[in-house]
Amino acid sequence: MTLFASMFKLFAGLAVANGLVREGTVPVNPVATIPLDKQYVPVIRNNKIVSYKTAYFGKIHVGMPRQQTFTVVFDTGSAHLFVPSATCNTETCTRHRRFFRNESGTAVDIDHDGNPVKKNSTRRDQVNIAFGTGEVTGEFVRETVCLSPHEPSTEVAPLGSAGKDCTELRVILASEMTKEPFMTFEFDGVLGLGLASLAVDPEFSFFGQMAKMNGLKEQTFGYFLSRSDSVPSEISFGGHDARRLASPLQWVPVHKPELGYWQLRLLGVIVAGERLPLCEEGDCVAIADTGTSLLGAPRAVTQRMHWLLARKVPENPAEIDCRTFPGPELIFQLEDGVNVTIGAEDYSRATGMRVLNNKTNSSQLICRASLLPVDDGEVLGPKAFILGEPALRKYYTAYDWKRQRIGFGLSVQPKPEEVPAEPRHSIYGAPPSGPPTPTEVVV
Ligand SMILES: *[C@@H]1O[C@H](CO)[C@@H](O)[C@H](O)[C@H]1NC(C)=O
Ligand SMILES: *[C@@H]1O[C@H](CO)[C@@H](O)[C@H](O)[C@H]1NC(C)=O
Ligand SMILES: *[C@@H]1O[C@H](CO)[C@@H](O)[C@H](O)[C@H]1NC(C)=O
Ligand SMILES: *[C@@H]1O[C@H](CO)[C@@H](O)[C@H](O)[C@H]1NC(C)=O
Ligand SMILES: *[C@@H]1O[C@H](CO)[C@@H](O)[C@H](O)[C@H]1NC(C)=O
């Protein structure tokens, strides 16, 4: 959904998770765990970099017997899988890997209803899908998609025999992709992990299909965001990764799953000890969105939140990384007694702001929160918060497809010395190391 809307996102090695086993359930090892690449895209204002958008993406393998590999954002805020089609020859498409329909033995051209396209048919169904600031137009195929590479065999393997990490679903082959925002991004496509009702048809849902067809013991996927660029973030399918959990998962039921979002009821939001006067009627919601790099808040309350979360830095240092400067807590109170508590290290914008007073010729350095104002949407309503990267980094999140609930547990973050022996992921466009220079405003 909000994938691109104003985005500006070790191994612990040992199982630290005491009390992991709850309600008599034994954690199941995930079927696949995919390391995620990370890209920084600078946000420029007045010719200066003020912040960075981030995107996380990992590899999937499409088609059989010879697989075609793509990088995709695993996005809980949307519900379809699209990859660029070889029929798209624009610069935006050719900059990315494209799917060659003729090289797959398993692709079946279909119309939107799932029926194969008739051989003598002269036209095909098309779909437009909006992604924040951009849009994708495409046609449909039914295709086999895997989470790990498989050796090509001479015969086309029947579904299931290739392993539990492959499934069959309807895929959108993009014949057009808007330049904004796809030209800037390294990833090729998006794999939506929203609930089935967010999709045009449940058969477009990658995880829905996997849960249904693959006999998963645990119909769950888990998401880990790393604080360190030397250690990859990861997504696990068919269970969660217990090594990433520092505290047991606390489960919260999905609110109105028929809307398709991983949405939770929000009982209250407490900012620096002050309860926002917003959720008294019980109509606030929070959406867990792996495709959004900020915390989203209804536009009506962002100013108040900014005010409460801003803090003065004494002694006017020349530069500072505001994520290291302490600040008050931001608490999301969810159902079933679960609090998601976010500190300055996660909600802060790294770059400070120096306020110059032209009258007194004095200056004050201020650290601020990074918030994404969310406008009234028809679907989400006026009181929707988005738990993007800041919340999903502090907490490991597990998404239980079958029971329609989200589990939150503090994540085990990499220790500085924990760098994998072999690189398993790539970082694109990393900002220079060291604290950023504050921006200046004159009042
Ligand atoms: C598929 O089509 C492309 C061009 O559209 C061509 O370069 C390629 O060789 C074809 N592959 C096969 C297996 O026919
Ligand atoms: C396409 O083929 C089907 C039979 O396979 C036939 O019934 C139909 O009339 C044909 N349509 C056209 C436009 O030729
Ligand atoms: C959640 O936060 C609220 C507000 O700070 C507090 O009153 C409540 O006790 C917390 N709940 C838990 C379970 O920590
Ligand atoms: C600051 O004040 C001086 C004199 O009062 C004025 O000339 C100058 O334009 C001001 N600068 C800004 C950036 O407002
Ligand atoms: C204001 O302060 C700066 C340095 O802090 C100094 O260079 C400048 O001359 C001062 N301007 C006035 C008008 O006092």
Side-chain angles (χ1 to χ4, degrees):
M1 163 204 50
T2 44
L3 181 57
F4 307 110
S6 149
M7 294 194 316
F8 296 79
K9 356 207 145 29
L10 287 52
F11 243 89
L14 30 132
V16 245
N18 288 325
L20 189 71
V21 182
R22 288 177 81 221
E23 300 165 15
T25 57
V26 179
V28 171
N29 283 335
V31 170
T33 292
I34 300 174
L36 304 179
D37 296 337
K38 178 176 182 180
Q39 183 182 8
Y40 294 86
V41 177
V43 175
I44 295 169
R45 245 172 250 150
N46 303 325
N47 296 320
K48 283 194 70 178
I49 296 175
V50 291
S51 62
Y52 290 85
K53 311 178 206 183
T54 48
Y56 296 85
F57 39 95
K59 289 189 180 69
I60 58 164
H61 310 272
V62 183
M64 289 271 169
R66 219 177 61 80
Q67 295 178 312
Q68 301 178 46
T69 299
F70 297 89
T71 53
V72 293
V73 171
F74 295 96
D75 177 25
T76 56
S78 65
H80 303 92
L81 167 60
F82 87 81
V83 294
S85 166
T87 61
C88 176
N89 291 309
T90 63
E91 203 189 351
T92 308
C93 284
T94 56
R95 178 199 188 296
H96 294 103
R97 276 166 281 211
R98 294 177 299 157
F99 182 74
F100 283 85
R101 165 71 186 82
N102 59 335
E103 299 197 351
S104 170
T106 43
V108 177
D109 295 329
I110 54 172
D111 279 327
H112 79 278
D113 57 7
N115 290 324
V117 176
K118 293 204 180 63
K119 284 228 163 56
N120 56 3
S121 162
T122 53
R123 53 167 291 277
R124 294 203 36 195
D125 285 350
Q126 287 208 333
V127 68
N128 294 315
I129 296 193
F131 283 93
T133 54
E135 193 177 282
V136 161
T137 304
E139 297 176 340
F140 311 105
V141 289
R142 181 175 299 116
E143 182 56 296
T144 301
V145 176
C146 300
L147 297 173
S148 65
H150 293 273
E151 285 299 312
S153 54
T154 45
E155 259 172 73
V156 175
L159 183 72
S161 64
K164 279 222 165 104
D165 68 1
C166 299
T167 198
E168 194 184 272
L169 73 153
R170 300 188 198 166
V171 177
I172 295 167
L173 301 182
S175 49
E176 287 171 45
M177 289 165 71
T178 50
K179 204 165 178 176
E180 163 61 32
F182 297 108
M183 191 65 192
T184 2
F185 283 113
E186 291 292 329
F187 60 81
D188 306 311
V190 174
L191 187 152
L193 290 168
L195 292 166
S197 46
L198 197 57
V200 173
D201 183 286
E203 287 190 21
F204 282 98
S205 163
F206 173 81
F207 199 67
Q209 288 294 94
M210 210 179 168
K212 191 167 83 185
M213 301 175 72
N214 295 31
L216 292 181
K217 283 208 193 84
E218 215 161 287
Q219 298 185 4
T220 302
F221 57 91
Y223 201 72
F224 167 74
L225 283 181
S226 176
R227 243 181 243 295
S228 159
D229 281 353
S230 11
V231 175
S233 301
E234 287 176 332
I235 186 166
S236 296
F237 290 92
H240 64 266
D241 189 344
R243 295 168 307 174
R244 302 297 194 203
L245 273 179
S247 70
L249 289 172
Q250 292 186 287
W251 295 98
V252 186
V254 172
H255 176 60
K256 295 194 181 166
E258 66 276 13
L259 294 181
Y261 292 109
W262 289 98
Q263 173 177 264
L264 308 167
R265 218 154 79 87
L266 194 51
L267 305 179
V269 180
I270 293 137
V271 189
E274 178 179 308
R275 185 174 287 271
L276 293 180
L278 187 72
C279 306
E280 288 73 17
E281 285 159 30
D283 51 354
C284 284
V285 295
I287 294 161
D289 188 356
T290 57
T292 296
S293 55
L294 296 179
L295 282 176
R299 193 177 283 281
V301 293
T302 48
Q303 215 182 345
R304 182 72 193 152
M305 290 177 74
H306 271 304
W307 174 260
L308 291 167
L309 294 174
R311 58 259 189 233
K312 293 179 177 173
V313 183
E315 284 160 20
N316 253 330
E319 46 190 29
I320 188 172
D321 183 337
C322 281
R323 293 170 299 189
T324 64
F325 189 77
E329 284 182 337
L330 168 55
I331 305 173
F332 294 96
Q333 270 187 302
L334 304 170
E335 287 188 291
D336 292 357
V338 178
N339 282 354
V340 165
T341 303
I342 299 168
E345 100 185 284
D346 287 309
Y347 65 66
S348 281
R349 177 181 292 237
T351 308
M353 183 174 78
R354 199 182 308 282
V355 181
L356 302 169
N357 189 322
N358 200 19
K359 228 180 223 156
T360 59
N361 201 21
S362 61
S363 78
Q364 174 66 58
L365 186 58
I366 291 176
C367 282
R368 307 178 67 219
S370 204
L371 298 172
L372 170 69
V374 178
D375 288 307
D376 252 35
E378 290 140 48
V379 186
L380 301 180
K383 298 184 183 177
F385 289 77
I386 295 171
L387 303 178
E389 183 180 336
L392 306 181
R393 187 167 49 219
K394 173 149 181 193
Y395 293 88
Y396 185 96
T397 41
Y399 301 79
D400 185 334
W401 192 268
K402 194 172 171 187
R403 281 182 265 193
Q404 305 198 315
R405 56 183 190 161
I406 304 179
F408 291 85
L410 289 170
S411 63
V412 174
Q413 286 295 334
K415 296 187 187 68
E417 67 278 12
E418 284 167 2
V419 175
E422 281 175 41
R424 294 162 56 229
H425 73 307
S426 306
I427 302 285
Y428 302 91
S433 61
T437 309
T439 55
E440 292 188 349
V441 290
V442 179
V443 293

